[in-house]
Amino acid sequence: QVHVVQSGTEVKKPGASVKVSCKASGYIFTNYAMHWVRQAPGQRLEWMGWINTGYGNTKYSKKFQGRVTITRDISASTAYMELSSLRSDDTALYYCARKPYSNGWYAFDYWGQGTLVTVSS
Amino acid sequence: QSVLTQPPSVSGAPGQRVTISCTGSSSNIGAGYDVHWYQQLPGTAPKLLISDNNNRPSGVPDRISGSKSGTSASLAITGLQAEDEADYYCQSYDSSLSAYVFGGGTKLTVL
């Protein structure tokens, strides 16, 4: 059975960085990509980027380019998303979501439970 | 402003049928990219409801269906139940943005 479990709530000050983890189980980690999607309070879902868990190459949304870094540890079946230079409008729930490899095709079929990141002075 | 446009809210009585529209453009839905639908219950993560325009993952009842035509897609729910009350999001891929895009979400209220 597929499970995707994320790390817990984070509270950060403006200008700091946050790193969220996403541990997968129940399938071969490198057979699927891992994407990151965020949802600010009362707002729509927003795609941030993804990682090829096998090769490690990444692609980021233009909005977050330069501020987001997605990595993975194959031995731990875990993906990470680090967001830097945090601002108050980065306060959001951050989700990781599994997707079959294919640029532009297939759905996000399993999601983590979400990690709340609050940015406040 | 969302690349994919959904109505903010829809409602229906138990047992009725409701549809939720998702309007895109020639760089996403109209370019042939598939549309997927997610259900988000209050306080929970999104859950895949319909993949590839009209495919139901295991466990999703057949009273839920999806369709796509031109630059739009629709989600239909028949035999409305109280448990259907949730937010629904459509999602596709946009070739101009080189990004996965979501609709603004539709809140379904069961009266």
Side-chain angles (χ1 to χ4, degrees), chain B residues 2-63:
Chain B
S2 300
V3 174
L4 303 181
T5 302
Q6 298 179 232
S9 63
V10 297
S11 62
Q16 285 190 330
R17 177 181 188 267
V18 296
T19 61
I20 298 173
S21 61
C22 175
T23 303
S25 66
S26 58
S27 60
N28 43 68
I29 300 174
Y33 290 103
D34 289 331
V35 178
H36 318 290
W37 292 89
Y38 303 88
Q39 177 193 56
Q40 188 174 34
L41 296 168
T44 69
K47 170 194 161 190
L48 181 60
L49 201 63
I50 293 286
S51 67
D52 307 335
N53 308 314
N54 55 17
N55 291 327
R56 282 185 303 276
S58 173
V60 175
D62 59 7
R63 60 188 184 83

Side-chain angles (χ1 to χ4, degrees), chain A residues 78-89:
Chain A
T78 300
Y80 303 90
M81 185 283 300
E82 183 169 20
L83 188 62
S84 62
S85 303
L86 289 169
R87 308 184 290 254
S88 58
D89 62 358

Side-chain angles (χ1 to χ4, degrees), chain A residues 97-110:
Chain A
R98 187 187 89 158
K99 196 178 89 59
Y101 289 116
S102 177
N103 192 32
W105 305 96
Y106 301 118
F108 303 110
D109 58 2
Y110 285 93

